Amino acid sequence: MSSFKDLRIVDNFYQTSSYIPMPTVLISTIAEDGSTSVGSYSLCFPYYIAKGHKGYYALILEARNSSNTAQHLLAGRKHCAINYMPAGPGYNKKIVAQGWAGDTPEEKMKSFGFTLEEGLCAKENSGEKRPLVVTEAYQVFECTWMDDLEDAYEDIGRQLVDGAYPPPYKNFNGITTEFGAHFILRIDKVLMKPEYYDNIINGVKGRSWPNVLVCHGYRDSKNFWFAKTRKLIPEILPIRQATLSSVRYAADRCDPNVHFTDDALEKLLNVPRVFLPTALKGCVAWAKENGVDTITAKEMEIINDKRAKEKGKTK
């Protein structure tokens, strides 16, 4: 006999039929008059987590397509900022207030309880109109809607009919249902408050973690439910070291013109098997760029230093 009960799945299942911890974000977009409009969301998740052939990283935002946020993006003002909010005095109430459906941007921003400032994209591209970012956020992703995916640009300028969109609908980017929309958002910049930037760059410590505000999915007719990150519990990753022969097997089949010495491959023994081909291809690409046909431990140190510097630049 099962230890679980079968709960009926209904619309908005993440709120009505489940407990799913999600981020608490405020999304900044550009209103029709050029001002910054802010709405609260939780359905915003990583989408492209490696550059791959796309050449960029991305999030996916799920939104009611009649919302101010969706309407601003569908009007062709494709820049937005994802502001990740911490716990703070009165923050819950202020965030929920920005999620009230039906308010115009002007009505929402009259009671906006946070501070806005210019992001880094606008400072670096003075001719580009970007929404402001929320000062109180612990991190901000400045993004652009990639409307070329699934030809979502075809949805720009479409008009609501009685509060909904008639067909056609996209599968994953643009207007996806009568009442819903999905937006693939390229990450242009990650803005991080100094103390949390230092935590990532100089070694993560639990006491230096932001007090993240988590939305817990389920809501009733009266309340949203939030939780704070009160205490972090570190758990050591299991080490499953590959054998030199298994790494050699993969390396010898990576490229016939680039050879790895044993001492070079020893530096790859702790790379998880699923990531080993990518790591080897990166080494081979570096070797070809630098006219190297044999990678030794010395070259591996150079490659690892390069990777560490590149990682630091992206933080």
Side-chain angles (χ1 to χ4, degrees):
M1 184 174 181
S2 175
S3 61
F4 295 94
K5 294 184 71 68
D6 183 5
L7 183 63
R8 185 169 64 97
I9 304 171
V10 297
D11 288 354
N12 291 328
F13 69 90
Y14 68 97
Q15 291 181 325
T16 57
S17 310
S18 58
Y19 307 95
I20 303 178
M22 297 180 291
T24 300
V25 300
L26 293 175
I27 300 185
S28 312
T29 52
I30 302 171
E32 187 175 3
D33 63 2
S35 64
T36 292
S37 175
V38 180
S40 57
Y41 286 86
S42 286
L43 297 177
C44 189
F45 310 101
Y47 193 71
Y48 293 142
I49 62 170
K51 279 189 176 181
H53 73 282
K54 295 294 184 185
Y56 58 86
Y57 306 103
L59 301 167
I60 183 168
L61 168 66
E62 302 171 47
R64 178 174 43 83
N65 58 30
S66 61
S67 69
N68 293 323
T69 300
Q71 287 295 295
H72 296 160
L73 294 171
L74 290 169
R77 299 184 292 275
K78 297 185 291 182
H79 296 311
C80 64
I82 316 298
N83 306 274
Y84 288 80
M85 300 305 294
Y91 282 19
N92 297 10
K93 187 178 292 295
K94 295 174 185 178
I95 290 167
V96 171
Q98 294 305 119
W100 187 259
D103 283 353
T104 65
E106 295 79 8
E107 289 169 335
K108 281 195 175 186
M109 297 311 292
K110 280 181 182 178
S111 59
F112 186 63
F114 298 103
T115 312
L116 294 172
E117 64 178 75
E118 194 175 61
L120 295 184
C121 284
K123 290 179 180 178
E124 294 181 2
N125 303 279
S126 57
E128 188 175 62
K129 182 66 176 177
R130 288 271 182 168
L132 300 175
V133 305
V134 179
T135 301
E136 291 82 357
Y138 60 87
Q139 68 182 18
V140 179
F141 291 174
E142 293 193 276
C143 299
T144 300
W145 176 35
M146 302 306 289
D147 64 350
D148 59 315
L149 298 175
E150 206 186 358
D151 297 334
Y153 55 81
E154 295 172 346
D155 288 339
I156 292 177
R158 286 181 62 183
Q159 300 299 307
L160 290 163
V161 178
D162 296 326
Y165 282 104
Y169 302 123
K170 303 299 184 183
N171 290 314
F172 67 90
N173 191 34
I175 299 170
T176 50
T177 66
E178 183 179 8
F179 299 110
H182 289 67
F183 300 97
I184 308 302
L185 304 175
R186 182 189 69 208
I187 300 173
D188 300 322
K189 278 193 177 296
V190 175
L191 283 55
M192 188 79 62
K193 284 298 174 65
E195 59 267 38
Y196 308 128
Y197 173 97
D198 292 341
N199 195 36
I200 291 176
I201 295 299
N202 299 321
V204 175
K205 299 179 178 62
R207 64 178 180 274
S208 300
W209 203 275
N211 194 0
V212 176
L213 189 61
V214 178
C215 175
H216 267 272
Y218 178 79
R219 60 169 291 192
D220 52 29
S221 59
K222 183 179 179 181
N223 297 305
F224 279 93
W225 298 85
F226 294 97
K228 305 173 185 177
T229 305
R230 297 176 183 271
K231 184 178 180 181
L232 295 171
I233 305 172
E235 185 64 46
I236 299 295
L237 290 170
I239 302 299
R240 296 181 181 177
Q241 193 175 73
T243 64
L244 182 59
S245 61
S246 66
V247 178
R248 166 65 64 196
Y249 182 87
D252 288 347
R253 285 155 181 76
C254 190
D255 191 284
N257 299 315
V258 178
H259 177 70
F260 290 81
T261 63
D262 285 350
D263 58 356
L265 294 180
E266 285 173 356
K267 295 185 178 295
L268 295 171
L269 292 179
N270 288 332
V271 175
R273 185 178 297 273
V274 67
F275 298 129
L276 183 59
T278 300
L280 289 168
K281 288 177 183 177
C283 295
V284 168
W286 178 90
K288 290 185 173 182
E289 288 174 5
N290 292 273
V292 174
D293 56 15
T294 299
I295 297 177
T296 68
K298 179 181 177 181
E299 283 74 31
M300 286 299 298
E301 289 177 4
I302 296 171
I303 293 169
N304 289 336
D305 286 344
K306 179 177 180 288
R307 286 174 177 164
K309 289 176 182 177
E310 289 175 347
K311 182 181 177 182
K313 288 180 181 178
T314 61
K315 298 300 183 183

mmCIF file of all heavy atoms in Angstrom, residues 125-163:
data_model
loop_
_atom_site.group_PDB
_atom_site.id
_atom_site.type_symbol
_atom_site.label_atom_id
_atom_site.label_comp_id
_atom_site.label_asym_id
_atom_site.label_seq_id
_atom_site.Cartn_x
_atom_site.Cartn_y
_atom_site.Cartn_z
ATOM 1 N N ASN A 125 26.137 51.153 -22.342
ATOM 2 C CA ASN A 125 25.534 51.429 -23.658
ATOM 3 C C ASN A 125 24.572 52.600 -23.496
ATOM 4 O O ASN A 125 23.365 52.411 -23.324
ATOM 5 C CB ASN A 125 24.802 50.195 -24.183
ATOM 6 C CG ASN A 125 25.705 48.978 -24.291
ATOM 7 O OD1 ASN A 125 26.447 48.826 -25.242
ATOM 8 N ND2 ASN A 125 25.641 48.108 -23.288
ATOM 9 N N SER A 126 25.121 53.793 -23.561
ATOM 10 C CA SER A 126 24.345 54.996 -23.224
ATOM 11 C C SER A 126 23.157 55.225 -24.148
ATOM 12 O O SER A 126 22.168 55.851 -23.763
ATOM 13 C CB SER A 126 25.259 56.228 -23.243
ATOM 14 O OG SER A 126 25.883 56.362 -24.515
ATOM 15 N N GLY A 127 23.201 54.709 -25.371
ATOM 16 C CA GLY A 127 22.100 54.924 -26.289
ATOM 17 C C GLY A 127 21.005 53.883 -26.184
ATOM 18 O O GLY A 127 20.001 53.956 -26.906
ATOM 19 N N GLU A 128 21.157 52.922 -25.276
ATOM 20 C CA GLU A 128 20.209 51.816 -25.163
ATOM 21 C C GLU A 128 19.273 52.027 -23.981
ATOM 22 O O GLU A 128 19.714 52.273 -22.869
ATOM 23 C CB GLU A 128 20.993 50.512 -24.994
ATOM 24 C CG GLU A 128 20.167 49.261 -25.051
ATOM 25 C CD GLU A 128 21.042 48.019 -24.987
ATOM 26 O OE1 GLU A 128 21.750 47.830 -23.965
ATOM 27 O OE2 GLU A 128 21.043 47.245 -25.955
ATOM 28 N N LYS A 129 17.974 51.927 -24.237
ATOM 29 C CA LYS A 129 16.989 52.096 -23.178
ATOM 30 C C LYS A 129 16.852 50.802 -22.399
ATOM 31 O O LYS A 129 16.484 49.757 -22.938
ATOM 32 C CB LYS A 129 15.632 52.493 -23.777
ATOM 33 C CG LYS A 129 14.535 52.732 -22.740
ATOM 34 C CD LYS A 129 14.831 53.932 -21.855
ATOM 35 C CE LYS A 129 13.689 54.214 -20.906
ATOM 36 N NZ LYS A 129 13.972 55.326 -19.990
ATOM 37 N N ARG A 130 17.158 50.860 -21.105
ATOM 38 C CA ARG A 130 17.071 49.697 -20.227
ATOM 39 C C ARG A 130 16.226 50.045 -19.004
ATOM 40 O O ARG A 130 16.264 51.171 -18.513
ATOM 41 C CB ARG A 130 18.467 49.291 -19.752
ATOM 42 C CG ARG A 130 19.334 48.646 -20.815
ATOM 43 C CD ARG A 130 19.130 47.159 -20.842
ATOM 44 N NE ARG A 130 19.976 46.499 -21.822
ATOM 45 C CZ ARG A 130 20.149 45.196 -21.890
ATOM 46 N NH1 ARG A 130 19.544 44.403 -21.018
ATOM 47 N NH2 ARG A 130 20.896 44.655 -22.819
ATOM 48 N N PRO A 131 15.471 49.063 -18.475
ATOM 49 C CA PRO A 131 14.740 49.331 -17.232
ATOM 50 C C PRO A 131 15.712 49.478 -16.071
ATOM 51 O O PRO A 131 16.816 48.920 -16.090
ATOM 52 C CB PRO A 131 13.865 48.092 -17.075
ATOM 53 C CG PRO A 131 14.593 47.016 -17.807
ATOM 54 C CD PRO A 131 15.280 47.684 -18.958
ATOM 55 N N LEU A 132 15.302 50.219 -15.058
ATOM 56 C CA LEU A 132 16.101 50.349 -13.848
ATOM 57 C C LEU A 132 16.079 49.040 -13.070
ATOM 58 O O LEU A 132 15.220 48.182 -13.292
ATOM 59 C CB LEU A 132 15.556 51.491 -12.988
ATOM 60 C CG LEU A 132 15.555 52.882 -13.640
ATOM 61 C CD1 LEU A 132 14.878 53.900 -12.726
ATOM 62 C CD2 LEU A 132 16.966 53.332 -13.998
ATOM 63 N N VAL A 133 17.023 48.890 -12.150
ATOM 64 C CA VAL A 133 17.106 47.685 -11.324
ATOM 65 C C VAL A 133 16.799 48.044 -9.879
ATOM 66 O O VAL A 133 16.859 49.212 -9.493
ATOM 67 C CB VAL A 133 18.491 47.009 -11.450
ATOM 68 C CG1 VAL A 133 18.806 46.729 -12.920
ATOM 69 C CG2 VAL A 133 19.582 47.864 -10.828
ATOM 70 N N VAL A 134 16.474 47.036 -9.069
ATOM 71 C CA VAL A 134 16.088 47.257 -7.675
ATOM 72 C C VAL A 134 17.325 47.244 -6.781
ATOM 73 O O VAL A 134 18.051 46.246 -6.724
ATOM 74 C CB VAL A 134 15.077 46.189 -7.205
ATOM 75 C CG1 VAL A 134 14.693 46.422 -5.736
ATOM 76 C CG2 VAL A 134 13.830 46.214 -8.091
ATOM 77 N N THR A 135 17.562 48.340 -6.098
ATOM 78 C CA THR A 135 18.751 48.497 -5.256
ATOM 79 C C THR A 135 18.813 47.441 -4.164
ATOM 80 O O THR A 135 19.890 46.940 -3.819
ATOM 81 C CB THR A 135 18.771 49.897 -4.615
ATOM 82 O OG1 THR A 135 18.765 50.880 -5.659
ATOM 83 C CG2 THR A 135 19.984 50.099 -3.739
ATOM 84 N N GLU A 136 17.682 47.084 -3.591
ATOM 85 C CA GLU A 136 17.652 46.160 -2.455
ATOM 86 C C GLU A 136 17.911 44.702 -2.856
ATOM 87 O O GLU A 136 18.085 43.842 -1.985
ATOM 88 C CB GLU A 136 16.309 46.256 -1.728
ATOM 89 C CG GLU A 136 16.077 47.557 -0.976
ATOM 90 C CD GLU A 136 15.585 48.693 -1.850
ATOM 91 O OE1 GLU A 136 15.470 48.501 -3.094
ATOM 92 O OE2 GLU A 136 15.311 49.776 -1.328
ATOM 93 N N ALA A 137 17.909 44.383 -4.141
ATOM 94 C CA ALA A 137 18.146 43.008 -4.592
ATOM 95 C C ALA A 137 19.558 42.575 -4.225
ATOM 96 O O ALA A 137 20.482 43.383 -4.182
ATOM 97 C CB ALA A 137 17.942 42.907 -6.101
ATOM 98 N N TYR A 138 19.739 41.276 -3.966
ATOM 99 C CA TYR A 138 21.096 40.791 -3.692
ATOM 100 C C TYR A 138 21.819 40.441 -4.993
ATOM 101 O O TYR A 138 23.044 40.440 -5.049
ATOM 102 C CB TYR A 138 21.098 39.603 -2.725
ATOM 103 C CG TYR A 138 20.345 38.369 -3.183
ATOM 104 C CD1 TYR A 138 20.962 37.399 -3.957
ATOM 105 C CD2 TYR A 138 19.023 38.162 -2.803
ATOM 106 C CE1 TYR A 138 20.286 36.259 -4.351
ATOM 107 C CE2 TYR A 138 18.333 37.030 -3.197
ATOM 108 C CZ TYR A 138 18.962 36.083 -3.972
ATOM 109 O OH TYR A 138 18.276 34.957 -4.375
ATOM 110 N N GLN A 139 21.054 40.137 -6.066
ATOM 111 C CA GLN A 139 21.641 39.956 -7.384
ATOM 112 C C GLN A 139 20.598 40.319 -8.428
ATOM 113 O O GLN A 139 19.391 40.262 -8.171
ATOM 114 C CB GLN A 139 22.132 38.529 -7.608
ATOM 115 C CG GLN A 139 21.037 37.491 -7.698
ATOM 116 C CD GLN A 139 21.568 36.070 -7.862
ATOM 117 O OE1 GLN A 139 22.723 35.789 -7.602
ATOM 118 N NE2 GLN A 139 20.716 35.156 -8.296
ATOM 119 N N VAL A 140 21.072 40.721 -9.604
ATOM 120 C CA VAL A 140 20.186 41.108 -10.698
ATOM 121 C C VAL A 140 20.720 40.509 -11.991
ATOM 122 O O VAL A 140 21.920 40.576 -12.267
ATOM 123 C CB VAL A 140 20.114 42.645 -10.847
ATOM 124 C CG1 VAL A 140 19.186 43.020 -12.014
ATOM 125 C CG2 VAL A 140 19.656 43.310 -9.557
ATOM 126 N N PHE A 141 19.818 39.922 -12.781
ATOM 127 C CA PHE A 141 20.171 39.478 -14.131
ATOM 128 C C PHE A 141 19.563 40.485 -15.107
ATOM 129 O O PHE A 141 18.336 40.612 -15.178
ATOM 130 C CB PHE A 141 19.612 38.092 -14.445
ATOM 131 C CG PHE A 141 20.252 36.960 -13.680
ATOM 132 C CD1 PHE A 141 19.753 35.675 -13.791
ATOM 133 C CD2 PHE A 141 21.343 37.168 -12.856
ATOM 134 C CE1 PHE A 141 20.340 34.613 -13.103
ATOM 135 C CE2 PHE A 141 21.935 36.126 -12.157
ATOM 136 C CZ PHE A 141 21.429 34.843 -12.279
ATOM 137 N N GLU A 142 20.404 41.204 -15.834
ATOM 138 C CA GLU A 142 19.911 42.082 -16.892
ATOM 139 C C GLU A 142 19.783 41.233 -18.154
ATOM 140 O O GLU A 142 20.733 40.568 -18.569
ATOM 141 C CB GLU A 142 20.847 43.253 -17.108
ATOM 142 C CG GLU A 142 20.883 44.202 -15.911
ATOM 143 C CD GLU A 142 21.565 45.526 -16.226
ATOM 144 O OE1 GLU A 142 22.807 45.573 -16.145
ATOM 145 O OE2 GLU A 142 20.848 46.487 -16.554
ATOM 146 N N CYS A 143 18.603 41.246 -18.765
ATOM 147 C CA CYS A 143 18.270 40.274 -19.810
ATOM 148 C C CYS A 143 17.651 40.927 -21.046
ATOM 149 O O CYS A 143 17.193 42.072 -21.006
ATOM 150 C CB CYS A 143 17.279 39.241 -19.266
ATOM 151 S SG CYS A 143 17.891 38.264 -17.876
ATOM 152 N N THR A 144 17.620 40.133 -22.117
ATOM 153 C CA THR A 144 16.953 40.519 -23.359
ATOM 154 C C THR A 144 16.129 39.342 -23.850
ATOM 155 O O THR A 144 16.630 38.202 -23.915
ATOM 156 C CB THR A 144 17.970 40.913 -24.445
ATOM 157 O OG1 THR A 144 18.745 42.020 -23.989
ATOM 158 C CG2 THR A 144 17.266 41.294 -25.741
ATOM 159 N N TRP A 145 14.869 39.595 -24.201
ATOM 160 C CA TRP A 145 14.013 38.540 -24.753
ATOM 161 C C TRP A 145 14.509 38.162 -26.143
ATOM 162 O O TRP A 145 14.623 39.009 -27.033
ATOM 163 C CB TRP A 145 12.560 39.018 -24.821
ATOM 164 C CG TRP A 145 11.630 38.018 -25.460
ATOM 165 C CD1 TRP A 145 11.701 36.660 -25.370
ATOM 166 C CD2 TRP A 145 10.497 38.302 -26.288
ATOM 167 N NE1 TRP A 145 10.674 36.074 -26.086
ATOM 168 C CE2 TRP A 145 9.931 37.044 -26.659
ATOM 169 C CE3 TRP A 145 9.905 39.478 -26.736
ATOM 170 C CZ2 TRP A 145 8.798 36.961 -27.473
ATOM 171 C CZ3 TRP A 145 8.774 39.394 -27.553
ATOM 172 C CH2 TRP A 145 8.233 38.134 -27.894
ATOM 173 N N MET A 146 14.798 36.863 -26.347
ATOM 174 C CA MET A 146 15.297 36.369 -27.624
ATOM 175 C C MET A 146 14.112 35.973 -28.504
ATOM 176 O O MET A 146 13.740 34.798 -28.595
ATOM 177 C CB MET A 146 16.258 35.199 -27.389
ATOM 178 C CG MET A 146 17.435 35.567 -26.502
ATOM 179 S SD MET A 146 18.329 37.030 -27.111
ATOM 180 C CE MET A 146 19.117 36.343 -28.563
ATOM 181 N N ASP A 147 13.518 36.955 -29.173
ATOM 182 C CA ASP A 147 12.307 36.700 -29.940
ATOM 183 C C ASP A 147 12.580 36.026 -31.276
ATOM 184 O O ASP A 147 11.651 35.712 -32.017
ATOM 185 C CB ASP A 147 11.520 37.992 -30.144
ATOM 186 C CG ASP A 147 12.282 39.015 -30.971
ATOM 187 O OD1 ASP A 147 13.492 38.823 -31.231
ATOM 188 O OD2 ASP A 147 11.678 40.039 -31.362
ATOM 189 N N ASP A 148 13.861 35.755 -31.589
ATOM 190 C CA ASP A 148 14.162 35.016 -32.810
ATOM 191 C C ASP A 148 13.875 33.525 -32.643
ATOM 192 O O ASP A 148 13.631 32.829 -33.631
ATOM 193 C CB ASP A 148 15.624 35.225 -33.220
ATOM 194 C CG ASP A 148 16.607 34.774 -32.138
ATOM 195 O OD1 ASP A 148 16.368 35.107 -30.959
ATOM 196 O OD2 ASP A 148 17.602 34.103 -32.469
ATOM 197 N N LEU A 149 13.892 33.036 -31.406
ATOM 198 C CA LEU A 149 13.612 31.630 -31.151
ATOM 199 C C LEU A 149 12.134 31.331 -31.413
ATOM 200 O O LEU A 149 11.251 32.014 -30.888
ATOM 201 C CB LEU A 149 13.976 31.256 -29.709
ATOM 202 C CG LEU A 149 15.455 31.406 -29.329
ATOM 203 C CD1 LEU A 149 15.655 31.132 -27.844
ATOM 204 C CD2 LEU A 149 16.324 30.472 -30.159
ATOM 205 N N GLU A 150 11.876 30.338 -32.204
ATOM 206 C CA GLU A 150 10.519 29.927 -32.608
ATOM 207 C C GLU A 150 9.765 31.065 -33.294
ATOM 208 O O GLU A 150 8.531 31.118 -33.248
ATOM 209 C CB GLU A 150 9.717 29.394 -31.411
ATOM 210 C CG GLU A 150 8.623 28.419 -31.846
ATOM 211 C CD GLU A 150 7.706 27.968 -30.728
ATOM 212 O OE1 GLU A 150 7.910 28.374 -29.570
ATOM 213 O OE2 GLU A 150 6.786 27.197 -31.018
ATOM 214 N N ASP A 151 10.515 32.003 -33.906
ATOM 215 C CA ASP A 151 9.900 33.143 -34.607
ATOM 216 C C ASP A 151 8.906 33.876 -33.711
ATOM 217 O O ASP A 151 7.832 34.312 -34.155
ATOM 218 C CB ASP A 151 9.186 32.683 -35.884
ATOM 219 C CG ASP A 151 10.148 32.077 -36.897
ATOM 220 O OD1 ASP A 151 11.340 32.438 -36.877
ATOM 221 O OD2 ASP A 151 9.704 31.248 -37.716
ATOM 222 N N ALA A 152 9.274 34.031 -32.435
ATOM 223 C CA ALA A 152 8.360 34.673 -31.481
ATOM 224 C C ALA A 152 8.126 36.141 -31.805
ATOM 225 O O ALA A 152 7.157 36.734 -31.318
ATOM 226 C CB ALA A 152 8.914 34.532 -30.061
ATOM 227 N N TYR A 153 8.978 36.731 -32.638
ATOM 228 C CA TYR A 153 8.771 38.127 -33.044
ATOM 229 C C TYR A 153 7.428 38.300 -33.757
ATOM 230 O O TYR A 153 6.896 39.411 -33.844
ATOM 231 C CB TYR A 153 9.912 38.591 -33.954
ATOM 232 C CG TYR A 153 10.146 37.735 -35.165
ATOM 233 C CD1 TYR A 153 9.353 37.869 -36.312
ATOM 234 C CD2 TYR A 153 11.145 36.771 -35.166
ATOM 235 C CE1 TYR A 153 9.546 37.060 -37.409
ATOM 236 C CE2 TYR A 153 11.344 35.960 -36.269
ATOM 237 C CZ TYR A 153 10.556 36.102 -37.387
ATOM 238 O OH TYR A 153 10.741 35.298 -38.475
ATOM 239 N N GLU A 154 6.868 37.197 -34.263
ATOM 240 C CA GLU A 154 5.552 37.272 -34.901
ATOM 241 C C GLU A 154 4.465 37.685 -33.913
ATOM 242 O O GLU A 154 3.383 38.136 -34.323
ATOM 243 C CB GLU A 154 5.195 35.917 -35.509
ATOM 244 C CG GLU A 154 6.112 35.490 -36.644
ATOM 245 C CD GLU A 154 5.870 34.061 -37.110
ATOM 246 O OE1 GLU A 154 5.186 33.306 -36.380
ATOM 247 O OE2 GLU A 154 6.356 33.697 -38.191
ATOM 248 N N ASP A 155 4.729 37.517 -32.608
ATOM 249 C CA ASP A 155 3.738 37.869 -31.589
ATOM 250 C C ASP A 155 3.816 39.331 -31.166
ATOM 251 O O ASP A 155 2.936 39.810 -30.434
ATOM 252 C CB ASP A 155 3.926 36.978 -30.351
ATOM 253 C CG ASP A 155 3.487 35.540 -30.594
ATOM 254 O OD1 ASP A 155 2.695 35.320 -31.527
ATOM 255 O OD2 ASP A 155 3.936 34.645 -29.858
ATOM 256 N N ILE A 156 4.862 40.030 -31.576
ATOM 257 C CA ILE A 156 5.004 41.438 -31.188
ATOM 258 C C ILE A 156 3.885 42.251 -31.832
ATOM 259 O O ILE A 156 3.639 42.184 -33.042
ATOM 260 C CB ILE A 156 6.380 41.993 -31.612
ATOM 261 C CG1 ILE A 156 7.485 41.322 -30.790
ATOM 262 C CG2 ILE A 156 6.444 43.507 -31.452
ATOM 263 C CD1 ILE A 156 8.885 41.738 -31.165
ATOM 264 N N GLY A 157 3.181 42.995 -31.003
ATOM 265 C CA GLY A 157 2.106 43.850 -31.492
ATOM 266 C C GLY A 157 0.745 43.195 -31.570
ATOM 267 O O GLY A 157 -0.246 43.870 -31.898
ATOM 268 N N ARG A 158 0.659 41.892 -31.266
ATOM 269 C CA ARG A 158 -0.662 41.261 -31.281
ATOM 270 C C ARG A 158 -1.547 41.841 -30.184
ATOM 271 O O ARG A 158 -1.065 42.201 -29.111
ATOM 272 C CB ARG A 158 -0.529 39.745 -31.088
ATOM 273 C CG ARG A 158 0.006 39.019 -32.324
ATOM 274 C CD ARG A 158 0.106 37.529 -32.091
ATOM 275 N NE ARG A 158 -1.202 36.922 -31.817
ATOM 276 C CZ ARG A 158 -1.375 35.639 -31.518
ATOM 277 N NH1 ARG A 158 -0.307 34.833 -31.448
ATOM 278 N NH2 ARG A 158 -2.567 35.156 -31.271
ATOM 279 N N GLN A 159 -2.837 41.913 -30.443
ATOM 280 C CA GLN A 159 -3.766 42.551 -29.530
ATOM 281 C C GLN A 159 -4.606 41.527 -28.771
ATOM 282 O O GLN A 159 -5.045 40.517 -29.332
ATOM 283 C CB GLN A 159 -4.700 43.499 -30.299
ATOM 284 C CG GLN A 159 -3.979 44.616 -31.044
ATOM 285 C CD GLN A 159 -3.210 45.521 -30.118
ATOM 286 O OE1 GLN A 159 -3.764 46.044 -29.138
ATOM 287 N NE2 GLN A 159 -1.935 45.735 -30.411
ATOM 288 N N LEU A 160 -4.814 41.809 -27.479
ATOM 289 C CA LEU A 160 -5.711 40.988 -26.677
ATOM 290 C C LEU A 160 -7.151 41.138 -27.156
ATOM 291 O O LEU A 160 -7.572 42.234 -27.546
ATOM 292 C CB LEU A 160 -5.626 41.391 -25.206
ATOM 293 C CG LEU A 160 -4.323 41.052 -24.472
ATOM 294 C CD1 LEU A 160 -4.212 41.868 -23.189
ATOM 295 C CD2 LEU A 160 -4.270 39.562 -24.153
ATOM 296 N N VAL A 161 -7.899 40.036 -27.111
ATOM 297 C CA VAL A 161 -9.321 40.063 -27.442
ATOM 298 C C VAL A 161 -10.081 39.595 -26.210
ATOM 299 O O VAL A 161 -9.989 38.424 -25.813
ATOM 300 C CB VAL A 161 -9.628 39.147 -28.653
ATOM 301 C CG1 VAL A 161 -11.128 39.170 -28.937
ATOM 302 C CG2 VAL A 161 -8.829 39.590 -29.861
ATOM 303 N N ASP A 162 -10.804 40.507 -25.560
ATOM 304 C CA ASP A 162 -11.511 40.193 -24.315
ATOM 305 C C ASP A 162 -10.573 39.585 -23.276
ATOM 306 O O ASP A 162 -10.908 38.594 -22.602
ATOM 307 C CB ASP A 162 -12.684 39.239 -24.585
ATOM 308 C CG ASP A 162 -13.751 39.860 -25.472
ATOM 309 O OD1 ASP A 162 -13.954 41.093 -25.363
ATOM 310 O OD2 ASP A 162 -14.359 39.141 -26.263
ATOM 311 N N GLY A 163 -9.378 40.153 -23.165
ATOM 312 C CA GLY A 163 -8.428 39.731 -22.140
ATOM 313 C C GLY A 163 -7.651 38.475 -22.460
ATOM 314 O O GLY A 163 -6.938 37.950 -21.599
#
